[in-house]
Amino acid sequence: MAGNRVVVYQGPGEVSVESIDYPKLELPDDVVTGTGVKRSAPHGVILKVVSTNICGSDQHMVRGRTTAPVGQTLGHEITGEVIEMGDDVLFLNQGDIVSVPFNIACGRCEKCDERQTGVCLNVNPARPGAAYGYVDMGGWIGGQADYVFVPFADFNCLRFPDRDQALEKIKDLTMLSDILPTGYHGAYTAGVTTGSTVYVAGAGPVGLAAATSAQLLGASVVIVGDMIEERLAQARSFGCETINLAEPGELNEKIADILGEPEVDAAVDAVGFEAVGSGPDAGEQPAAVLNDIMNAAKVGAGLGIPGLYVTGDPGGVDEEAQIGSLRVRLGLGWAKSHRFQTGQCPVKRYNRGLMKAILADRVPIARNVNAQVISLDDAPEGYQQFDRGAAKKFVIDPHGMLKA
């Protein structure tokens, strides 16, 4: 039997690569105990992980900014090769290369029927919605590993139509598991369309994916704001305008310098709860970005909020922030008739169409987010670089398939 290794959270600022059991076609204890469903999962597959990425959501846990326990396995951005299947898997074959949405979904509940796979009702007894390798998300083993179990595989796995073509474009296709659909969800739910002017807060990988998506949706101008110049340079590399929020000045004035008017048609929060204020002496202000995008967006605009907000943050700046209660200027959003869209991106709503766009050379997402391939053993260093603000998207290659 093959061994297995996985990236594990060891406490604030520290991860390691640990040996664990090879996966079985079985549901995790939390799901079995909480729902009473059968442990055996003939509907699942075992994947040999082809690529798995480090996400900003992982980084929140590793910084100690969630209630993740020591020993939490990590990794929810998974692309893999099917190497073992249960008897109830009908439409996949061994050797298929598939993208796995970070949302785990049963495909059978009311929410899955409504294509709201981010809040599936049957895969996490604690709350609607589940994910691989994430705190409070059902106890599913993480995918920053050699091998991983995927349940309800016919529903959850997006099969790439041509194996050789998929491996040629794997650095782009690996982004389908999370950040590209998540960025697209942010832009789409903000109402970006032909000719829109767009402000994206945050030039991390999700922010850059949102900016890429806004361009794909037909935006005329995409402005990206961040406090790290290296990340802003990455946004400029594919045609975005940028605002350095570490410099003095009001956001609306800086938008006016670019557009000739102080507000945009649509805005996206790709930062989340570890937000900071603007200016050279800015400190952490969890609601800063939410308030910024309301200020920046026109009356009647949409606000897409793919940035993560949590109900438990031990490192929050005050008692309210520690339970996810933030000082959001809701009255401003109400007065401006804004539309808000929050929550996990339902990846399956978008991933097939985005796959087609990648295969047709319409979305150079790996270039735009500056994908850098590393080994599984180099994952701890990748986390450290990402935490320091590196303008890169780290793609883990456990078996050397990307390098080949």
Side-chain angles (χ1 to χ4, degrees):
M1 179 64 69
N4 195 19
R5 298 176 303 154
V6 66
V7 178
V8 178
Y9 172 61
Q10 298 293 2
E14 184 178 355
V15 302
S16 61
V17 181
E18 304 292 333
S19 294
I20 62 171
D21 292 337
Y22 184 83
K24 298 178 181 179
L25 295 171
E26 293 181 351
L27 300 180
D29 291 341
D30 288 2
V31 175
V32 173
T33 302
T35 64
V37 298
K38 296 178 180 179
R39 182 176 301 277
S40 176
H43 48 74
V45 296
I46 307 297
L47 299 184
K48 177 181 179 180
V49 177
V50 174
S51 61
T52 176
N53 315 322
I54 297 176
C55 180
S57 298
D58 298 320
Q59 199 71 61
H60 292 308
M61 286 190 289
V62 173
R63 290 191 187 113
R65 297 300 300 270
T66 72
T67 56
V70 170
Q72 170 74 56
T73 61
L74 300 174
H76 55 269
E77 300 190 9
I78 304 164
T79 305
E81 177 184 2
V82 177
I83 59 172
E84 184 178 342
M85 302 184 300
D87 290 341
D88 285 351
V89 177
L90 303 179
F91 303 108
L92 297 171
N93 297 295
Q94 288 190 1
D96 285 345
I97 306 295
V98 298
S99 178
V100 181
F102 77 89
N103 328 106
I104 301 169
C106 71
R108 309 174 186 194
C109 71
E110 174 186 351
K111 294 304 172 185
C112 287
D113 281 347
E114 295 171 351
R115 300 179 75 198
Q116 297 189 58
T117 52
V119 285
C120 173
L121 302 176
N122 290 330
V123 287
N124 180 7
R127 65 180 68 177
Y132 304 89
Y134 211 85
V135 61
D136 296 331
M137 283 299 205
W140 301 85
I141 298 297
Q144 288 170 12
D146 289 315
Y147 303 94
V148 70
F149 163 64
V150 175
F152 308 107
D154 281 326
F155 184 72
N156 283 310
C157 292
L158 174 66
R159 185 179 67 85
F160 299 138
D162 183 276
R163 178 188 172 93
D164 292 339
Q165 183 188 32
L167 290 174
E168 282 182 11
K169 293 182 175 291
I170 198 68
K171 286 202 294 183
D172 293 299
L173 294 170
T174 191
M175 307 304 169
L176 288 172
S177 57
D178 183 353
I179 69 161
L180 182 54
T182 293
Y184 189 92
H185 182 61
Y188 181 81
T189 57
V192 177
T193 187
T194 305
S196 296
T197 57
V198 185
Y199 175 67
V200 178
V206 169
L208 297 176
T212 299
S213 299
Q215 292 175 338
L216 182 64
L217 287 164
S220 58
V221 181
V222 180
I223 304 169
V224 179
D226 201 281
M227 306 187 80
I228 299 175
E229 181 55 37
E230 182 185 7
R231 288 184 167 188
L232 293 172
Q234 185 62 33
R236 289 193 294 272
S237 75
F238 60 94
C240 298
E241 300 288 341
T242 60
I243 293 174
N244 190 330
L245 298 170
E247 296 175 351
E250 296 296 323
L251 176 60
N252 294 85
E253 294 175 358
K254 295 175 180 180
I255 290 173
D257 289 341
I258 296 170
L259 297 179
E261 58 180 347
E263 294 176 320
V264 293
D265 298 317
V268 178
D269 171 4
V271 177
F273 72 102
E274 287 192 70
V276 298
S278 56
D281 300 316
E284 185 168 321
Q285 298 176 28
V289 171
L290 292 171
N291 291 326
D292 276 352
I293 62 174
M294 284 189 283
N295 274 318
K298 293 178 180 178
V299 169
L303 309 179
I305 309 173
L308 175 66
Y309 289 86
V310 296
T311 56
D313 173 14
V317 294
D318 54 38
E319 291 183 359
E320 292 298 303
Q322 290 169 13
I323 60 170
S325 181
L326 310 181
R327 296 180 178 179
V328 178
R329 293 187 63 196
L330 186 59
L332 175 62
W334 190 94
K336 296 178 79 171
S337 293
H338 284 160
R339 305 182 309 277
F340 297 76
Q341 175 69 53
T342 67
Q344 288 186 41
C345 165
V347 171
K348 280 183 60 65
R349 190 176 298 175
Y350 308 109
N351 64 350
R352 187 176 300 276
L354 290 170
M355 174 191 73
K356 293 178 182 178
I358 288 171
L359 294 177
D361 295 322
R362 292 289 311 280
V363 190
I365 185 64
R367 182 200 70 189
N368 289 5
V369 300
N370 195 20
Q372 177 169 326
V373 177
I374 61 174
S375 70
L376 187 61
D377 290 326
D378 288 334
E381 174 60 24
Y383 270 95
Q384 291 182 19
Q385 289 190 39
F386 193 29
D387 190 48
R388 293 194 293 266
K392 299 173 183 177
K393 175 67 172 177
F394 289 100
V395 177
I396 299 172
D397 179 11
H399 298 280
M401 296 180 72
L402 276 70
K403 294 175 182 177

